Amino acid sequence: MDEDTNAPLDRSLFSTLPELDGRGSAAYTSRMTVRTRFAPSPTGYLHVGGARTALFNYLFAKKHGGVFLLRVEDTDAARNTEEARQAIFDGMSWLGLDWDEGPFYQSERLAIYDAWFEKLHASGRVYEDGGAWRFRFERKPVTMQDLVCGQVTIDYRDESNTPDMVVKRSDGSYVFHFVNVVDDLEMGITHVIRGEDHLMNTPKHLQLIEAFGGVAPAYAHIPLILNADGSKMSKRDAGAAVGDYPKQGFLSAAVVNFVALLGWNPKTEEEIFSLADLVERFSLEQVNRAPGRFDFEKCKWVNQQHLLAVTLDDFATAARPFVEAAGLAIPENYLAVIAAVKDKVRLLSEVPAAVDFLLKEDFTYDEEAVTKVRGNAAAGGLLSSLAAAFETLPEWSADAAKAALQETAVAAGAKPGQLMFPLRVALSGRGHGPDLGEMLALLGRSRCAARVSRFAGILEISKP
């Protein structure tokens, strides 16, 4: 079973008792080395839900000076793919969630599972049923204290609702529940942090652990992730695949920041955190009971805050592959060009469109902006005069160009403001973007004069 599934939780078999103060987390962390794990199945790309599971396990282990390990649950040979396995590794590496131990592959541990199965067989806790083997539940209530969901009990006295579970299939392969428990015991896992869709599995696992004579880890079942409108998040929804984020120009630190907020509340007004900040602040007590709401626009906003915080050099380096992929030549003044749009974009993938007019002459004009300029009947004539003024300036600078703009407007009996928007559209083809002074300085005299003259001609031709 995948850890990132969003199957609805059926609570009909549970009776929930009052939640304990603090959820007992201190009791589980004060006398042991914390060991957590992320255990994905390589049957598809790394889902954002799986990434959050990995992140919470990583943060909890690092917060308590513990160990975070990676275990690949790949016993389903028919569904596993090498591409999916690599996507998991690449996604975790990109996010910066480096594991301390592993990866361990369940497909390489069959002899271990056979040995543990023999323990159950020897104690009479399994029996054959149609070629498969079932684990014999003890017919009693099983109570667990979940570090997020509180204290929960499932009653196994009603065999019709809780039939003995298959642990070994007729083909000799082992089911998820069995290998999951064996691995957690073998690897000394102290805390299992996973999606709430696994909550109903835990009492089954506790019965297995008791039959083995083992010590159960502490369990924390984190809430599901829903879309912003409350609908179930599917694999086709925007933002579902971790592998898409670097392609769209997200910083890994921003994605980690955003994913951490899907179900975890820092209890402050702050929203922007580094991975180190999250390690310091994270606790299971602050994990919400309610589902997390995935808002892709909020994710982009978080990314913008991280872009604003990086140095210009780092921003330019990160943006360069996107600029080159768009077929734009990298100029000598690339750093100055990039600086003009650093605070204008939310994603690195937006940089090429933000700077293209600074790097080439065949840019397009935004029709809405052009229509707005045409509303000023004097714009064409003013721009023609301004182009001539630019040509005659003794020295070129942004300040000198702005002074020429003011003089041109005053000479025509207009206000300078009437000319600023038409000039912006003439230089860039759009009504927004970098500071006008930055554009004038970056483009230089000849390019500015030519663009202003060309746009004035377009306005004159289009007059009725």
Side-chain angles (χ1 to χ4, degrees):
M1 183 177 293
D2 294 338
E3 296 239 23
D4 61 3
T5 57
N6 281 329
L9 177 65
D10 179 4
R11 297 183 180 274
S12 61
L13 298 179
F14 286 87
S15 59
T16 304
L17 303 179
E19 183 178 332
L20 300 183
D21 291 342
R23 298 176 186 164
S25 59
Y28 288 103
T29 57
S30 60
R31 297 185 299 276
M32 65 177 67
T33 298
V34 168
R35 291 176 62 84
T36 67
R37 48 73 166 180
F38 177 48
S41 297
T43 57
Y45 61 76
L46 180 60
H47 187 275
V48 69
R52 186 190 61 169
T53 297
L55 175 61
F56 282 14
N57 277 279
Y58 175 92
L59 295 177
F60 189 82
K62 298 306 175 184
K63 172 70 175 287
H64 296 285
V67 175
F68 171 62
L69 62 85
L70 176 61
R71 184 172 78 218
V72 181
E73 299 194 337
D74 61 345
T75 55
D76 189 349
R79 297 179 61 214
N80 298 333
T81 69
E82 174 61 25
E83 183 181 11
R85 183 190 68 82
Q86 193 59 49
I88 292 169
F89 294 167
D90 291 346
M92 292 185 65
S93 296
W94 183 73
L95 292 169
L97 304 182
D98 300 324
W99 50 92
D100 302 303
E101 296 180 11
F104 301 102
Y105 297 91
Q106 287 185 335
S107 59
E108 299 174 356
R109 297 170 56 80
L110 298 182
I112 295 172
Y113 304 141
D114 287 341
W116 282 76
F117 177 79
E118 285 305 313
K119 294 181 182 181
L120 293 181
H121 188 269
S123 64
R125 291 302 298 273
V126 293
Y127 61 91
E128 194 170 5
D129 178 18
W133 289 84
R134 290 185 178 272
F135 173 70
R136 198 187 312 274
F137 286 130
E138 286 193 23
R139 295 301 160 185
K140 63 181 183 179
V142 175
T143 298
M144 60 171 287
Q145 179 178 296
D146 190 89
L147 302 184
V148 173
C149 298
Q151 197 164 347
V152 194
T153 297
I154 185 170
D155 194 344
Y156 281 87
R157 289 175 296 188
D158 185 352
E159 190 169 350
S160 64
N161 281 335
T162 56
D164 292 340
M165 71 173 172
V166 172
V167 291
K168 190 175 185 179
R169 302 181 184 93
S170 58
D171 64 2
S173 63
Y174 294 100
V175 302
F176 158 79
H177 304 291
F178 180 82
V179 295
N180 187 274
V181 165
V182 169
D183 284 343
D184 285 345
L185 292 174
E186 278 265 336
M187 297 175 184
I189 300 302
T190 63
H191 294 75
V192 173
I193 304 170
R194 58 189 179 186
E196 193 183 46
D197 48 308
H198 285 278
L199 184 59
M200 288 187 69
N201 294 331
T202 303
K204 301 174 185 178
H205 297 179
L206 290 175
Q207 286 235 27
L208 273 172
I209 291 169
E210 185 178 23
F212 285 131
V215 177
Y219 291 92
H221 290 86
I222 57 182
L224 303 181
I225 299 175
L226 304 178
N227 287 317
D229 62 2
S231 62
K232 177 183 174 182
M233 190 175 189
S234 76
K235 292 186 176 182
R236 295 179 297 275
D237 289 327
V242 172
D244 289 343
Y245 285 89
K247 299 173 187 176
Q248 295 174 23
F250 283 90
L251 296 178
S252 58
V255 176
V256 167
N257 185 164
F258 175 73
V259 169
L261 298 174
L262 294 173
W264 172 74
N265 189 336
K267 305 299 183 184
T268 71
E269 296 299 318
E270 297 175 81
E271 294 185 282
I272 305 304
F273 303 100
S274 67
L275 184 57
D277 294 333
L278 292 171
V279 169
E280 180 181 350
R281 294 169 180 255
F282 184 79
S283 73
L284 292 172
E285 286 83 0
Q286 293 172 313
V287 174
N288 299 328
R289 295 286 298 275
R293 295 296 182 101
F294 188 94
D295 184 342
F296 203 42
E297 292 304 307
K298 177 65 173 291
C299 187
K300 293 177 182 178
W301 176 84
V302 171
N303 195 68
Q304 184 176 33
Q305 306 314 302
H306 281 264
L307 287 176
L308 290 170
V310 302
T311 66
L312 176 58
D313 284 343
D314 287 345
F315 178 80
T317 299
R320 183 165 184 146
F322 293 91
V323 176
E324 291 177 333
L328 298 173
I330 303 297
E332 291 185 6
N333 65 340
Y334 172 68
L335 202 62
V337 168
I338 290 297
V341 300
K342 184 175 184 292
D343 62 347
K344 307 295 182 183
V345 298
R346 296 186 299 173
L347 305 173
L348 292 169
S349 57
E350 296 173 355
V351 172
V355 301
D356 64 348
F357 75 93
L358 293 170
L359 304 180
K360 63 180 186 179
E361 295 304 315
D362 59 338
F363 58 87
T364 59
Y365 293 95
D366 177 69
E367 282 302 319
E368 184 177 345
V370 173
T371 299
K372 184 177 179 180
V373 174
R374 288 196 180 110
N376 177 4
L382 288 170
L383 288 173
S384 293
S385 299
L386 182 59
F390 282 172
E391 293 283 8
T392 59
L393 284 176
E395 292 185 5
W396 181 262
S397 69
D399 288 341
K402 288 180 179 179
L405 179 150
Q406 184 165 350
E407 291 170 5
T408 299
V410 171
K415 295 181 179 179
Q418 289 181 266
L419 191 50
M420 293 181 71
F421 184 78
L423 175 59
R424 171 177 291 279
V425 178
L427 296 179
S428 67
R430 62 201 70 172
H432 56 83
D435 176 78
L436 186 59
E438 287 183 293
M439 292 197 298
L440 290 165
L442 288 168
L443 290 170
R445 179 205 305 271
S446 61
R447 295 173 77 191
C448 286
R451 291 185 183 193
V452 172
S453 179
R454 180 177 66 181
F455 188 54
I458 291 173
L459 294 177
E460 290 301 317
I461 292 173
S462 62
K463 279 185 177 181

mmCIF file of all heavy atoms in Angstrom, residues 346-366:
data_model
loop_
_atom_site.group_PDB
_atom_site.id
_atom_site.type_symbol
_atom_site.label_atom_id
_atom_site.label_comp_id
_atom_site.label_asym_id
_atom_site.label_seq_id
_atom_site.Cartn_x
_atom_site.Cartn_y
_atom_site.Cartn_z
ATOM 1 N N ARG A 346 7.358 35.036 -9.743
ATOM 2 C CA ARG A 346 7.086 34.062 -8.678
ATOM 3 C C ARG A 346 7.813 32.749 -8.928
ATOM 4 O O ARG A 346 8.120 32.021 -7.980
ATOM 5 C CB ARG A 346 5.585 33.800 -8.576
ATOM 6 C CG ARG A 346 4.759 35.001 -8.166
ATOM 7 C CD ARG A 346 3.300 34.615 -7.952
ATOM 8 N NE ARG A 346 2.696 34.094 -9.177
ATOM 9 C CZ ARG A 346 1.481 33.555 -9.237
ATOM 10 N NH1 ARG A 346 0.759 33.436 -8.146
ATOM 11 N NH2 ARG A 346 0.992 33.126 -10.385
ATOM 12 N N LEU A 347 8.070 32.459 -10.204
ATOM 13 C CA LEU A 347 8.732 31.215 -10.590
ATOM 14 C C LEU A 347 9.905 31.517 -11.510
ATOM 15 O O LEU A 347 9.862 32.476 -12.276
ATOM 16 C CB LEU A 347 7.756 30.290 -11.322
ATOM 17 C CG LEU A 347 6.452 29.930 -10.620
ATOM 18 C CD1 LEU A 347 5.553 29.141 -11.573
ATOM 19 C CD2 LEU A 347 6.731 29.116 -9.372
ATOM 20 N N LEU A 348 10.927 30.700 -11.458
ATOM 21 C CA LEU A 348 12.057 30.878 -12.362
ATOM 22 C C LEU A 348 11.634 30.698 -13.816
ATOM 23 O O LEU A 348 12.231 31.298 -14.713
ATOM 24 C CB LEU A 348 13.161 29.876 -12.010
ATOM 25 C CG LEU A 348 13.856 30.101 -10.665
ATOM 26 C CD1 LEU A 348 14.724 28.902 -10.323
ATOM 27 C CD2 LEU A 348 14.681 31.377 -10.680
ATOM 28 N N SER A 349 10.602 29.911 -14.037
ATOM 29 C CA SER A 349 10.116 29.706 -15.408
ATOM 30 C C SER A 349 9.469 30.963 -15.980
ATOM 31 O O SER A 349 9.253 31.046 -17.193
ATOM 32 C CB SER A 349 9.111 28.555 -15.440
ATOM 33 O OG SER A 349 8.026 28.810 -14.556
ATOM 34 N N GLU A 350 9.169 31.950 -15.131
ATOM 35 C CA GLU A 350 8.597 33.203 -15.611
ATOM 36 C C GLU A 350 9.669 34.196 -16.068
ATOM 37 O O GLU A 350 9.353 35.213 -16.688
ATOM 38 C CB GLU A 350 7.758 33.852 -14.500
ATOM 39 C CG GLU A 350 6.545 33.044 -14.081
ATOM 40 C CD GLU A 350 5.841 33.629 -12.867
ATOM 41 O OE1 GLU A 350 6.355 34.612 -12.284
ATOM 42 O OE2 GLU A 350 4.785 33.094 -12.486
ATOM 43 N N VAL A 351 10.935 33.903 -15.760
ATOM 44 C CA VAL A 351 12.010 34.846 -16.074
ATOM 45 C C VAL A 351 12.156 35.096 -17.570
ATOM 46 O O VAL A 351 12.272 36.258 -17.994
ATOM 47 C CB VAL A 351 13.343 34.373 -15.453
ATOM 48 C CG1 VAL A 351 14.506 35.243 -15.944
ATOM 49 C CG2 VAL A 351 13.260 34.416 -13.927
ATOM 50 N N PRO A 352 12.161 34.063 -18.433
ATOM 51 C CA PRO A 352 12.330 34.352 -19.874
ATOM 52 C C PRO A 352 11.311 35.335 -20.422
ATOM 53 O O PRO A 352 11.680 36.268 -21.151
ATOM 54 C CB PRO A 352 12.174 32.963 -20.515
ATOM 55 C CG PRO A 352 12.611 32.009 -19.457
ATOM 56 C CD PRO A 352 12.129 32.606 -18.169
ATOM 57 N N ALA A 353 10.041 35.168 -20.074
ATOM 58 C CA ALA A 353 9.015 36.090 -20.569
ATOM 59 C C ALA A 353 9.182 37.477 -19.972
ATOM 60 O O ALA A 353 8.805 38.476 -20.600
ATOM 61 C CB ALA A 353 7.626 35.550 -20.240
ATOM 62 N N ALA A 354 9.765 37.546 -18.777
ATOM 63 C CA ALA A 354 9.953 38.845 -18.123
ATOM 64 C C ALA A 354 11.111 39.633 -18.723
ATOM 65 O O ALA A 354 11.119 40.864 -18.672
ATOM 66 C CB ALA A 354 10.178 38.645 -16.621
ATOM 67 N N VAL A 355 12.091 38.930 -19.300
ATOM 68 C CA VAL A 355 13.283 39.627 -19.807
ATOM 69 C C VAL A 355 13.428 39.569 -21.321
ATOM 70 O O VAL A 355 14.351 40.179 -21.869
ATOM 71 C CB VAL A 355 14.574 39.038 -19.179
ATOM 72 C CG1 VAL A 355 14.536 39.149 -17.662
ATOM 73 C CG2 VAL A 355 14.802 37.593 -19.610
ATOM 74 N N ASP A 356 12.533 38.893 -22.025
ATOM 75 C CA ASP A 356 12.748 38.694 -23.462
ATOM 76 C C ASP A 356 12.871 40.011 -24.221
ATOM 77 O O ASP A 356 13.686 40.136 -25.142
ATOM 78 C CB ASP A 356 11.659 37.802 -24.060
ATOM 79 C CG ASP A 356 10.264 38.416 -23.995
ATOM 80 O OD1 ASP A 356 10.080 39.438 -23.287
ATOM 81 O OD2 ASP A 356 9.357 37.868 -24.642
ATOM 82 N N PHE A 357 12.103 41.024 -23.841
ATOM 83 C CA PHE A 357 12.148 42.303 -24.566
ATOM 84 C C PHE A 357 13.481 43.011 -24.356
ATOM 85 O O PHE A 357 13.857 43.897 -25.139
ATOM 86 C CB PHE A 357 10.989 43.209 -24.126
ATOM 87 C CG PHE A 357 11.170 43.828 -22.772
ATOM 88 C CD1 PHE A 357 11.744 45.082 -22.621
ATOM 89 C CD2 PHE A 357 10.779 43.147 -21.628
ATOM 90 C CE1 PHE A 357 11.916 45.667 -21.379
ATOM 91 C CE2 PHE A 357 10.934 43.713 -20.373
ATOM 92 C CZ PHE A 357 11.509 44.973 -20.244
ATOM 93 N N LEU A 358 14.214 42.641 -23.295
ATOM 94 C CA LEU A 358 15.527 43.230 -23.059
ATOM 95 C C LEU A 358 16.613 42.529 -23.876
ATOM 96 O O LEU A 358 17.715 43.063 -24.038
ATOM 97 C CB LEU A 358 15.888 43.149 -21.567
ATOM 98 C CG LEU A 358 15.033 43.996 -20.618
ATOM 99 C CD1 LEU A 358 15.328 43.635 -19.174
ATOM 100 C CD2 LEU A 358 15.273 45.488 -20.861
ATOM 101 N N LEU A 359 16.301 41.340 -24.394
ATOM 102 C CA LEU A 359 17.311 40.541 -25.066
ATOM 103 C C LEU A 359 17.080 40.375 -26.561
ATOM 104 O O LEU A 359 17.942 39.851 -27.257
ATOM 105 C CB LEU A 359 17.376 39.143 -24.412
ATOM 106 C CG LEU A 359 17.645 39.127 -22.900
ATOM 107 C CD1 LEU A 359 17.685 37.704 -22.388
ATOM 108 C CD2 LEU A 359 18.957 39.847 -22.584
ATOM 109 N N LYS A 360 15.905 40.775 -27.053
ATOM 110 C CA LYS A 360 15.641 40.650 -28.488
ATOM 111 C C LYS A 360 14.725 41.782 -28.935
ATOM 112 O O LYS A 360 14.057 42.428 -28.124
ATOM 113 C CB LYS A 360 15.010 39.294 -28.796
ATOM 114 C CG LYS A 360 13.644 39.081 -28.151
ATOM 115 C CD LYS A 360 13.093 37.702 -28.501
ATOM 116 C CE LYS A 360 11.670 37.530 -27.979
ATOM 117 N NZ LYS A 360 11.110 36.211 -28.337
ATOM 118 N N GLU A 361 14.697 41.998 -30.257
ATOM 119 C CA GLU A 361 13.919 43.108 -30.803
ATOM 120 C C GLU A 361 12.544 42.678 -31.303
ATOM 121 O O GLU A 361 11.645 43.510 -31.437
ATOM 122 C CB GLU A 361 14.696 43.763 -31.960
ATOM 123 C CG GLU A 361 15.992 44.421 -31.534
ATOM 124 C CD GLU A 361 15.781 45.461 -30.427
ATOM 125 O OE1 GLU A 361 14.836 46.268 -30.525
ATOM 126 O OE2 GLU A 361 16.568 45.444 -29.458
ATOM 127 N N ASP A 362 12.349 41.396 -31.551
ATOM 128 C CA ASP A 362 11.076 40.947 -32.137
ATOM 129 C C ASP A 362 10.078 40.505 -31.066
ATOM 130 O O ASP A 362 9.472 39.449 -31.152
ATOM 131 C CB ASP A 362 11.313 39.815 -33.129
ATOM 132 C CG ASP A 362 11.991 38.608 -32.489
ATOM 133 O OD1 ASP A 362 12.633 38.791 -31.427
ATOM 134 O OD2 ASP A 362 11.881 37.502 -33.037
ATOM 135 N N PHE A 363 9.943 41.345 -30.049
ATOM 136 C CA PHE A 363 8.961 41.046 -28.996
ATOM 137 C C PHE A 363 7.562 41.436 -29.480
ATOM 138 O O PHE A 363 7.404 42.217 -30.422
ATOM 139 C CB PHE A 363 9.307 41.777 -27.701
ATOM 140 C CG PHE A 363 9.397 43.270 -27.834
ATOM 141 C CD1 PHE A 363 8.262 44.072 -27.705
ATOM 142 C CD2 PHE A 363 10.617 43.889 -28.089
ATOM 143 C CE1 PHE A 363 8.340 45.440 -27.831
ATOM 144 C CE2 PHE A 363 10.705 45.272 -28.217
ATOM 145 C CZ PHE A 363 9.567 46.046 -28.095
ATOM 146 N N THR A 364 6.563 40.889 -28.816
ATOM 147 C CA THR A 364 5.181 41.197 -29.190
ATOM 148 C C THR A 364 4.609 42.278 -28.283
ATOM 149 O O THR A 364 5.089 42.490 -27.167
ATOM 150 C CB THR A 364 4.302 39.939 -29.090
ATOM 151 O OG1 THR A 364 4.353 39.444 -27.739
ATOM 152 C CG2 THR A 364 4.786 38.854 -30.052
ATOM 153 N N TYR A 365 3.585 42.956 -28.770
ATOM 154 C CA TYR A 365 2.910 43.995 -27.987
ATOM 155 C C TYR A 365 1.638 43.415 -27.363
ATOM 156 O O TYR A 365 0.879 42.723 -28.032
ATOM 157 C CB TYR A 365 2.527 45.187 -28.879
ATOM 158 C CG TYR A 365 3.711 45.965 -29.411
ATOM 159 C CD1 TYR A 365 4.230 45.678 -30.669
ATOM 160 C CD2 TYR A 365 4.292 46.979 -28.665
ATOM 161 C CE1 TYR A 365 5.306 46.389 -31.177
ATOM 162 C CE2 TYR A 365 5.373 47.693 -29.162
ATOM 163 C CZ TYR A 365 5.874 47.396 -30.413
ATOM 164 O OH TYR A 365 6.952 48.099 -30.901
ATOM 165 N N ASP A 366 1.463 43.710 -26.103
ATOM 166 C CA ASP A 366 0.240 43.297 -25.422
ATOM 167 C C ASP A 366 -0.919 44.165 -25.902
ATOM 168 O O ASP A 366 -0.873 45.399 -25.797
ATOM 169 C CB ASP A 366 0.416 43.456 -23.899
ATOM 170 C CG ASP A 366 -0.843 43.103 -23.144
ATOM 171 O OD1 ASP A 366 -1.213 41.925 -23.113
ATOM 172 O OD2 ASP A 366 -1.464 44.031 -22.585
#
